[in-house]
């Protein structure tokens, strides 16, 4: 989860950007009336509580007290808690506040290194040996956190311990060890009720689900099989299944319920014997799920919104964070960045939409997490339709494309963003038209404009004009003028949500092609659209 660096004023921006530089995908959140950052917020307390509730790590550049007060009402539930830190505006102090179990001290150290200061670590167990015991590395899971805390308290009070099993990350830890200690750190895939010892499960069990019937509860069956063999569900590394089950819902639900990756193989990755449905393989070290077969690929088509980060939906942001491959027109891909080193970026020309869509299916068919970006909403004159068109044409020749997990994530379309800036010109019935005749005959456009004029709809024009289409806009407006009064308000939104944003309101009589270009959204009012002060709106009623 990318972290939120929260600032209250411009004085903290320098420090915020220094921290941001070390954490790709992190965003600087600024109090809207005081500072211009990546994401704007209006109310510090509400904003920080919302971040906390969504599990977002928070680095607040203000006094610890302000953060504590803001979160006080949210602290009762000490379940999964994101890291929360206070950092002095000038970068001179880093104070981890919450999220000991989710790595706040690790984060504090990293931020401390970035700022050249020692973090104010206050957790006694952590200072001696707690963190390395209670937050085992990837591939291992702590059996019971409460039991773990009791165990660490015991060590702090003078108990000694020994290690049963293989825990390479503890080799260098400064633990009070004794070969015959009463209490042990036990590394085992087996579940046992154990109040005295610290139990850590290596994720070393691989399950092969050789057969699935439609209404199978695979998770329940998995738990039963593991229980029967005395294994903890936390020791499960992955579910693996034959490729033919790639689109089987019950398998996906099971992997989700068991919180493990789901992999697909052409044949069982180990000797599954004659087990009818589920076979388990227990390895002597954690298993890297990535090394087993391949994942079901995903293809997510997202809309970035008009341009600014705060108008991008959290779902689109989450898809970008999860992406392994990002495809799109160069301008939009740049808008979606920055990207991590492990993410592959494929930028193409704006006109190669079908080609890009096919490429996206090819990558996803290999098991990759692919994101295709559009501006605004992906379903409005953008990539979602191109992706479905590619599937429509290509699925017979490429049956593997149909197994890809496809999702479309909506975005704020330019007409909606422009309308909001201007007021509510789309407050009553309206239509949306692209004036580009690249993919449809001009005669169709003229006919539709005439019908929309006749029907007294507000009209939102996308793609109003380009160098290759110099005369069309004036022709279109000529048709509108047959049906509308010259005083009809027209909203022109250019680069809405981007740094060069410009909004103009003119009358239909004043409208001409010199006022628009490809980066402009044109909204022509209906007979009822009116102006109040700086605002344009279309009333909800109609007579
Ligand atoms: N999928 C996009 C539209 C793509 S068509 C969406 O839903 O917004 C491209 C046209 O959208 C441009 O020619 C322009 O008319 C409009 N447009 C896109 N982004 C815009 C912005 N930030 N400000 C104004 N108009 C924009």
């Amino acid at each position: 989860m990318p972290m939120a660096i929260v600032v209250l004023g411009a004085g903290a921006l320098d420090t915020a950007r220094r921290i941001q530089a070390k954490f790709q995908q992190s965003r600087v959140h600024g109090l809207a009336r005081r500072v211009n950052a990546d994401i704007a917020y209006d109310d510090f307390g509400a904003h920080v509580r919302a971040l906390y509730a969504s599990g977002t790590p928070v680095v607040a550049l203000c006094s610890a007290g302000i953060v504590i007060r803001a979160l006080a009402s949210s602290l009762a539930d000490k379940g999964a808690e994101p890291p929360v830190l206070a950092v002095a505006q000038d970068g001179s102090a880093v104070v981890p506040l919450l999220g000991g179990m989710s790595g706040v001290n690790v984060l504090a150290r990293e931020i401390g290194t970035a700022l050249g200061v020692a973090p104010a670590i206050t957790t006694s167990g952590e200072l001696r040996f707690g963190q390395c015991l209670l937050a085992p590395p990837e591939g291992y899971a702590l059996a019971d956190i409460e039991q773990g805390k009791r165990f660490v308290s015991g060590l702090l009070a003078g108990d000694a311990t020994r290690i049963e099993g293989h825990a390479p990350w503890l080799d260098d830890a400064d633990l009070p060890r004794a070969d015959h200690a009463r209490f042990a750190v036990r590394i085992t895939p087996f579940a046992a009720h154990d109040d005295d010892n610290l139990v850590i499960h290596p994720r070393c069990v691989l399950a092969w689900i050789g057969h699935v019937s439609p209404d199978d509860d695979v998770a329940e069956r998995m738990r039963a099989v593991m229980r029967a063999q005395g294994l903890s569900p936390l020791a499960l590394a992955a579910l693996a299944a034959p490729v033919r089950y790639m689109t089987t819902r019950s398998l996906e639900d099971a992997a989700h319920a068991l919180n493990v990756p789901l992999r697909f193989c052409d044949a069982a990755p180990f000797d599954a014997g004659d087990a009818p449905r589920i076979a388990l393989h227990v390895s002597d070290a954690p298993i890297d799920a990535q090394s087993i077969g391949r994942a079901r690929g995903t293809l997510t088509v997202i809309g970035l919104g008009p341009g600014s980060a705060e108008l991008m939906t959290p779902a689109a942001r989450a898809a970008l964070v999860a992406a392994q491959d990002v495809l799109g027109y160069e301008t939009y891909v740049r808008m979606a960045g920055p990207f991590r080193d492990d993410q592959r970026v494929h930028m193409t020309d704006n006109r190669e939409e079908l080609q890009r869509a096919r490429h996206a299916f090819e990558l996803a068919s290999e098991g990759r997490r692919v994101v295709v970006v559009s501006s605004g909403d992906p379903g409005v004159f953008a990539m979602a339709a191109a992706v479905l068109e590619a599937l429509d044409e290509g699925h017979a020749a490429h049956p593997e494309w149909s197994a890809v997990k496809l999702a479309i994530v909506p975005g704020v379309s330019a007409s909606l963003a422009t309308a909001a800036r201007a007021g509510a010109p789309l407050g009553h019935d309206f239509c949306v038209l692209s004036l580009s005749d690249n993919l449809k005959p001009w005669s169709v456009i003229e006919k539709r404009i005439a019908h929309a004029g006749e029907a007294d709809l507000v009209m939102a024009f996308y793609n109003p004009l380009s160098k290759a289409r110099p005369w069309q806009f004036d022709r279109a407006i000529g048709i509108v003028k047959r049906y509308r009064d010259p005083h009809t308000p027209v909203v022109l939104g250019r680069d809405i949500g981007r740094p060069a944003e410009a909004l103009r309101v003119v009358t239909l009589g004043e409208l001409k092609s010199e006022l628009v270009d490809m980066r402009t959204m044109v909204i022509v009012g209906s007979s009822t659209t009116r102006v109040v002060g700086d605002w344009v709106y279309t009333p909800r009623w109609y007579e």
Side-chain angles (χ1 to χ4, degrees):
M1 174 87 70
M3 71 189 197
I5 304 166
V6 185
V7 302
L8 283 158
L13 260 188
D14 265 2
T15 307
R17 298 292 183 203
R18 278 166 71 201
I19 299 172
Q20 184 180 33
K22 296 280 174 197
F23 297 88
Q24 291 189 355
Q25 300 279 359
S26 65
R27 290 280 181 281
V28 177
H29 300 225
L31 185 59
R33 59 183 181 279
R34 291 218 209 125
V35 55
N36 198 3
D38 307 335
I39 293 177
Y41 67 84
D42 293 319
D43 180 303
F44 178 82
H47 189 64
V48 170
R49 280 190 292 279
L51 291 168
Y52 179 83
S54 69
T56 308
V58 175
V59 178
L61 274 75
C62 59
S63 81
I66 295 180
V67 189
I68 292 168
R69 273 199 196 87
L71 287 177
S73 61
S74 312
L75 297 181
D77 169 27
K78 213 189 163 229
E81 185 167 71
V84 178
L85 302 93
V87 172
Q89 276 209 26
D90 62 359
S92 62
V94 178
V95 188
L97 295 172
L98 298 165
M101 291 306 134
S102 43
V104 73
N105 289 328
V106 175
L107 202 55
R109 289 216 167 86
E110 286 171 13
I111 295 174
T113 308
L115 299 176
V117 295
I121 307 271
T122 53
T123 339
S124 52
E126 147 84 5
L127 285 176
R128 303 251 309 260
F129 33 69
Q131 194 61 23
C132 56
L133 283 176
L134 299 186
E138 208 170 304
Y140 297 85
L142 188 64
D144 178 353
I145 179 70
E146 291 310 319
Q147 202 276 326
K149 285 184 196 160
R150 285 197 300 276
F151 185 87
V152 169
S153 305
L155 293 196
L156 287 169
D159 289 345
T161 187
R162 63 203 153 78
I163 294 176
E164 280 178 20
H166 189 50
W169 75 97
L170 291 179
D171 287 350
D172 300 327
D174 190 12
L175 293 173
R177 295 186 199 230
D179 288 346
H180 302 290
R182 238 176 72 215
F183 305 122
V185 177
R186 256 199 196 135
I187 317 295
T188 172
F190 293 99
H193 184 76
D194 191 335
D195 273 340
D196 295 332
N197 301 303
L198 180 75
V199 179
I200 293 173
H201 299 303
R203 297 191 185 275
C204 63
V205 179
L206 181 63
W208 173 248
I209 320 281
H211 181 82
V212 190
S213 38
D215 48 355
D216 244 355
D217 186 341
V218 179
E220 206 32 60
R221 271 207 292 127
M222 270 302 304
R223 287 196 191 96
V225 171
M226 293 193 76
R227 208 181 307 122
Q229 303 196 20
L231 292 163
S232 162
L234 289 174
L236 189 60
L239 297 184
V243 173
R244 66 175 182 282
Y245 290 130
M246 204 171 255
T247 57
T248 302
R249 190 58 202 265
S250 54
L251 266 179
E252 197 183 323
D253 291 347
H256 192 74
L258 296 164
N259 196 20
V260 293
L262 177 57
R263 311 289 298 182
F264 297 94
C265 313
D266 297 317
F270 54 87
D271 180 7
D274 49 9
R277 287 168 140 196
I278 294 184
L280 298 185
H281 172 74
V282 182
S283 169
D284 46 18
I287 293 170
D288 174 13
Q290 308 298 317
S291 68
I292 312 292
R294 60 181 190 272
R296 178 183 183 191
T298 65
L299 200 179
T300 309
V301 192
I302 67 167
L304 300 173
S308 60
E310 85 250 36
L311 290 181
M312 188 191 301
T313 66
R317 170 61 57 202
L320 281 173
V321 170
Q324 293 175 308
D325 293 85
V326 180
L327 288 81
Y329 174 48
E330 189 173 338
T331 312
Y332 303 146
V333 171
R334 288 195 196 290
M335 226 161 90
F339 296 101
R340 299 184 304 268
D341 295 344
D342 62 303
Q343 295 181 301
R344 284 200 236 148
V345 175
H346 313 259
M347 296 193 260
T348 47
D349 191 79
N350 204 9
R351 287 168 212 284
E352 298 166 18
E353 282 134 351
L354 265 185
Q355 180 54 32
R356 183 188 303 149
R358 288 186 207 109
H359 187 198
F361 273 111
E362 281 159 17
L363 290 168
S365 300
E366 291 167 16
R368 301 186 60 82
R369 284 189 301 279
V370 180
V371 165
V372 172
V373 299
S374 280
S375 76
D377 179 273
V380 177
F381 310 125
M383 282 307 296
V387 162
L388 290 172
E389 207 179 312
L391 180 64
D392 206 358
E393 283 176 4
H395 76 281
H398 306 278
E400 70 281 7
W401 289 10
S402 302
V404 164
K405 188 168 182 177
L406 182 61
I408 320 282
V409 174
V412 177
S413 192
S415 55
L416 306 183
T418 302
R421 294 287 201 250
L426 308 181
H428 191 73
D429 297 349
F430 68 96
C431 68
V432 155
L433 292 168
S434 167
L435 295 190
S436 167
D437 57 355
N438 288 340
L439 299 168
K440 62 186 167 188
W442 178 252
S443 59
V444 168
I445 299 175
E446 289 200 345
K447 191 162 141 194
R448 288 184 181 165
I449 295 172
H451 284 310
E454 170 99 50
D456 200 18
L457 294 169
V458 171
M459 295 176 221
F461 293 136
Y462 287 75
N463 301 314
L465 189 100
S466 76
K467 286 203 185 73
R469 298 183 281 108
W471 52 266
Q472 284 89 333
F473 185 74
D474 285 327
R475 280 279 284 277
I477 295 313
I479 300 169
V480 177
K481 283 179 177 162
R482 285 190 226 142
Y483 301 89
R484 295 278 202 289
D485 187 277
H487 296 107
T488 305
V490 175
V491 175
L492 302 175
R494 186 168 191 274
D495 280 336
I496 296 299
R498 301 177 191 169
E501 169 167 332
L503 187 79
R504 284 183 75 172
V505 179
V506 298
T507 64
L508 182 58
E510 292 161 347
L511 184 59
K512 52 178 192 271
S513 57
E514 286 73 28
L515 299 181
V516 306
D517 62 8
M518 265 310 266
R519 284 147 69 181
T520 311
M521 180 74 227
V522 181
I523 301 178
V524 180
S526 69
S527 66
T528 61
T529 304
R530 21 190 321 137
V531 172
V532 50
D534 289 337
W535 300 103
V536 178
Y537 78 105
T538 307
R540 293 158 302 147
W541 45 259
Y542 199 81
E543 282 160 15

